[in-house]
Amino acid sequence: MRRGRERGRAPGAQGPRRVKLTIVGGGGFRVPLVYGALLRRRATLPFDEVVLHDVSAARMARISAVLEGLGAERGERLPFRATTDLEEAVDGADFVFCAVRVGLLEGRVVDETVPLSYGVLGQETTGPGGICFALRTIPAMVEVAEAVARKAPDAWLVNFTNPAGMVTEAIQQVMGERAVGICDSPSGLCRRVAAALGRDADELWFDYFGLNHLGWLKAARDTREDLLPRLLADEAALTGFEEGALFGADWLQSLGMIPNEYLYYFYYGAETVDAIRESPASRGAYLLEQQARFYRGNGQPPADALAAWRATRHERERTYMAEARSAAGVEGGHASGDELPEEAGYEVEAMAVVEAIANNTRSVIICNTANRSALPFLDARAVVEVPAVVGRAGPQPVAIGPVPDHAAGLVQSIKAVERATIEAALTGSTSLAVKALALHPLVPSVNRAREIFEGYRARLPELQERFA
Ligand code: G6P
Ligand code: MN
């Protein structure tokens, strides 16, 4: 076996050199998940150096204590350091992970509450909320991509920043297909379907297609056949897992596919809006309070910081998508980290991409990458979420074949919305921003779109500046 540190080496480089990972958004709440996964993979991943970058040194200090706690618990240390200087952070990096929240959770609260006041879905990434989130995030992410292109032209950027599909398409305009978008929901869906079938996910082939937070599983094949029809016919098995319980056996049988959980907001939009309006606080408002409490503990010793982080994470995951579950009448909380296998979750997707590229494993990973010819009803540069073979040359998306018209149609409409949003974000054009909102299937009229945009602009300084 080759030594770890040789693996990430650029072709033609002489002798061993240090392999560097930069985490942009290094003070973010999910960074300890990434660091924990790195610790577990010390033997197979090539990193010698981890650099955290964030605009807030205080948030990084809090997260650094949690990382110290994790290292101490595992009796292992992967050196890391923190900086607020972006150029220095990414300089010479081999991989850059990026998960930032422009406008913080205060911004999310605005994204979600403005449409709700018009009876329209208010959600982090789906509907008007996702458009507004993208309008302020894309300019900041383009700056990150430009810094990476200048300071680390050979780096791969693994992007978690939401809305991940739009953000990845926007930054591909700067750095091409070296930007790869990641989400944990498709792999989670495949894992749950495999479990419902009593099979190991590694033994199956999953025909999953769409855009980020807008995808469907249309087949789950073993060496003989597609097993999905069997699952769709078994009502008990269907309602025993997250997506089955949410959408209901009847609707899944009509579709003949299993949708990503985010399709709930399209198929049961009215019920979700009612459920959110009846809940005491929007998801953003709940998290704003919860996260502020956690970050206020700055200064605690590592073991206490780790315990506080774990408790906060547990609560966050139990209440994930609670409004959809309540609209669907599903009892109980979402599975939390403690109940999931260690090898699940979004950090594992990120590690899979890094491992596949650094070690040229040519693994199949569902990720957000340029379409090429995977979905024939979209052009080659559209960023889509499909299985891709990932090796040293990056992701090569696989062809998906025919998909039902209703799914292709929705994907095309939302791609048009995404592109109007990206252009609006890059140009500061109000009419394009309103067009993006008005074209969204969840926004019922052009006037509503105008009012929602005005509501956003009135409450968000970032938008006032850009959309004068
Ligand atoms: C999933 C999605 C992410 C999203 C998150 C929201 O993990 O894949 O894209 O940001 O849920 O969870 P939250 O706890 O912030 O509501
Ligand atoms: Mn996601």
Side-chain angles (χ1 to χ4, degrees), residues 57-66 294-300 305 308:
R59 287 169 61 86
M60 273 194 294
R62 180 63 166 152
I63 291 300
S64 295
V66 179
F294 166 74
Y295 282 97
R296 265 199 303 275
N298 206 352
Q300 274 185 327

Side-chain angles (χ1 to χ4, degrees), residues 199 203-204 221-225:
R199 301 292 286 266
E203 286 171 9
L204 303 179
R221 298 176 201 283
D222 69 2
T223 51
R224 292 166 189 276
E225 59 184 343

Side-chain angles (χ1 to χ4, degrees), residues 66-341:
V66 179
L67 307 192
E68 299 285 355
L70 278 174
E73 189 180 78
R74 288 191 73 91
E76 220 164 330
R77 216 186 115 66
L78 169 59
F80 65 90
R81 64 185 175 86
T83 173
T84 54
D85 181 335
L86 178 64
E87 301 258 326
E88 192 254 318
V90 300
D91 192 13
D94 298 274
F95 289 90
V96 177
F97 286 178
C98 187
V100 298
R101 189 177 286 283
V102 178
L104 303 170
L105 284 163
E106 284 83 351
R108 179 166 173 180
V109 173
V110 175
D111 297 342
E112 293 176 347
T113 50
V114 168
L116 280 171
S117 66
Y118 296 101
V120 176
L121 176 76
Q123 210 280 327
E124 180 195 20
T125 58
T126 300
I131 293 174
C132 186
F133 193 13
L135 290 178
R136 61 175 186 279
T137 303
I138 285 170
M141 283 298 298
V142 164
E143 278 175 29
V144 171
E146 284 169 351
V148 172
R150 267 193 311 274
K151 292 293 189 176
D154 295 330
W156 292 88
L157 194 159
V158 181
N159 177 58
F160 300 111
T161 298
N162 266 328
M166 275 190 261
V167 166
T168 303
E169 185 156 325
I171 61 179
Q172 284 205 350
Q173 294 181 14
V174 177
M175 54 185 300
E177 293 176 28
R178 300 186 81 83
V180 183
I182 290 292
C183 179
D184 56 340
S185 62
S187 59
L189 168 57
C190 296
R191 203 179 50 243
R192 290 185 284 273
V193 164
L197 285 162
R199 301 292 286 266
D200 177 353
D202 283 343
E203 286 171 9
L204 303 179
W205 174 271
F206 296 99
D207 263 334
Y208 182 92
F209 71 94
L211 307 178
N212 180 235
H213 293 185
L214 192 89
W216 295 262
L217 181 67
K218 70 165 188 170
R221 298 176 201 283
D222 69 2
T223 51
R224 292 166 189 276
E225 59 184 343
D226 175 11
L227 304 170
L228 216 47
R230 190 189 306 169
L231 178 60
L232 287 167
D234 179 347
E235 202 165 321
L238 260 188
T239 45
F241 69 98
E242 204 77 25
E243 288 81 358
L246 268 185
F247 292 101
D250 265 6
W251 180 237
L252 295 182
Q253 285 156 1
S254 298
L255 285 175
M257 305 189 288
I258 315 281
N260 182 293
E261 57 195 353
Y262 279 83
L263 258 310
Y264 193 81
Y265 301 119
F266 287 86
Y267 295 143
Y268 296 92
E271 292 83 349
T272 315
V273 170
D274 291 345
I276 299 178
R277 286 177 134 183
E278 279 159 25
S279 65
S282 73
R283 179 69 175 162
Y286 165 79
L287 289 174
L288 177 61
E289 198 278 320
Q290 191 223 34
Q291 297 280 299
R293 205 171 344 115
F294 166 74
Y295 282 97
R296 265 199 303 275
N298 206 352
Q300 274 185 327
D304 297 341
L306 178 58
W309 176 77
R310 285 210 171 111
T312 309
R313 180 187 172 218
H314 178 79
E315 261 323 294
R316 182 176 191 161
E317 290 188 4
R318 292 297 291 174
T319 52
Y320 173 65
M321 277 209 172
E323 75 287 353
R325 279 198 311 281
S326 129
V330 176
E331 309 265 308
H334 192 269
S336 84
D338 331 335
E339 295 143 16
L340 290 172

